[in-house]
Amino acid sequence: MSSTPAREAILTRLAAACRTPAPVPAPADIWDAPELDAPKRLELLAKRLQAVRTEVHVTPEKQWKAKLAELLAARKPATLAHGTGAWFAKDLPGICKKPGMPALTPYYEDVDQFKDALFGVEASITTARAGIAETGALLLTPDAGEPRLLSLVPPVHFVVLRARDIAASFAGAIRDLKLAEAMPANLVLISGPSKTADIELTLTFGVHGPKELIALILT
């Protein structure tokens, strides 16, 4: 058989296959969103974050400032970067005014002007808009008030999450945040300190970004 008839036979079979679309199962047929009450969502999220070396602290919201001060005093970072749009930004000067606390480095400049300062800070603190219990992830929606680099560059990353914002699944978080109505320009999912298994599939932590992730979950 010459190459031309063989080529035409192959193309004919491919064309015929394209006329028969592959069946697409309904989402409900292949996946069910877990149904978890609030205590179970908190328990599962903390368990799965800790499984990948995230330090988790659950504390009442009224006491979160004292808890953050305790954690900063234990680690002694010299500097702490934060976004000026964070809901807790107004509380940080009071937390860090005591001796031994880090100097605050607010992120309010363009990245080209701020990058040298950012790569020199020892810790950062950001807000998580949601937690996802099913996968053990924290969901951040960076914007001008809390730029994305705050979660990528400093070696120690503190994340503040309210327990009421923990969803059972990613789909639940998308629904609760109404992201389908107003999709953010950027969305970050964090499941622990930076890690890679590029070399011989050996999992190594703290290679490309934060070496430590500390989650404060406020109840």
Side-chain angles (χ1 to χ4, degrees):
M1 178 181 291
S2 67
S3 62
T4 298
R7 177 174 176 274
E8 290 177 351
I10 292 171
L11 292 177
T12 299
R13 288 200 298 271
L14 289 174
C18 290
R19 286 195 292 270
T20 306
V24 178
D29 293 338
I30 57 176
W31 177 78
D32 290 321
E35 295 183 3
L36 306 171
D37 59 21
K40 187 62 179 178
R41 292 197 296 271
L42 171 57
E43 177 188 347
L44 187 58
L45 175 65
K47 178 181 178 181
R48 292 192 167 163
L49 286 171
Q50 290 167 336
V52 286
R53 301 188 183 182
T54 298
E55 189 174 311
V56 178
H57 299 272
V58 180
T59 186
E61 184 158 352
K62 291 182 178 179
Q63 300 173 18
W64 89 273
K65 289 184 282 188
K67 188 63 182 179
L68 177 61
E70 175 188 324
L71 295 171
L72 291 171
R75 279 181 171 71
K76 297 181 172 58
T79 45
L80 179 68
H82 68 90
T84 55
W87 64 263
F88 49 74
K90 65 182 186 307
D91 298 319
L92 295 177
I95 296 171
C96 295
K97 67 180 181 181
K98 295 180 180 179
M101 290 288 106
L104 292 175
T105 305
Y107 191 149
Y108 56 83
E109 296 180 292
D110 181 82
V111 64
D112 287 334
Q113 280 74 46
F114 189 67
K115 61 182 179 183
D116 289 340
L118 182 63
F119 277 83
V121 299
E122 296 184 4
S124 66
I125 182 167
T126 66
T127 308
R129 291 280 307 281
I132 302 170
E134 183 182 32
T135 56
L138 301 169
L139 188 155
L140 283 61
T141 54
D143 56 18
E146 285 192 287
R148 186 168 64 104
L149 287 177
L150 286 170
S151 65
L152 300 178
V153 176
V156 180
H157 181 199
F158 293 87
V159 181
V160 182
L161 168 70
R162 289 182 166 117
R164 63 174 179 265
D165 294 328
I166 301 174
S169 65
F170 180 71
I174 295 296
R175 179 199 59 217
D176 296 345
L177 295 174
K178 299 181 179 179
L179 296 185
E181 300 173 14
M183 183 64 71
N186 206 326
L187 190 151
V188 176
L189 293 169
I190 301 174
S191 60
S194 69
K195 51 189 172 295
T196 180
D198 287 349
I199 301 175
E200 296 183 350
L201 299 180
T202 300
L203 185 61
T204 304
F205 286 82
V207 177
H208 301 304
K211 295 177 173 57
E212 294 182 68
L213 179 66
I214 300 103
L216 277 78
I217 302 178
L218 315 186
T219 58

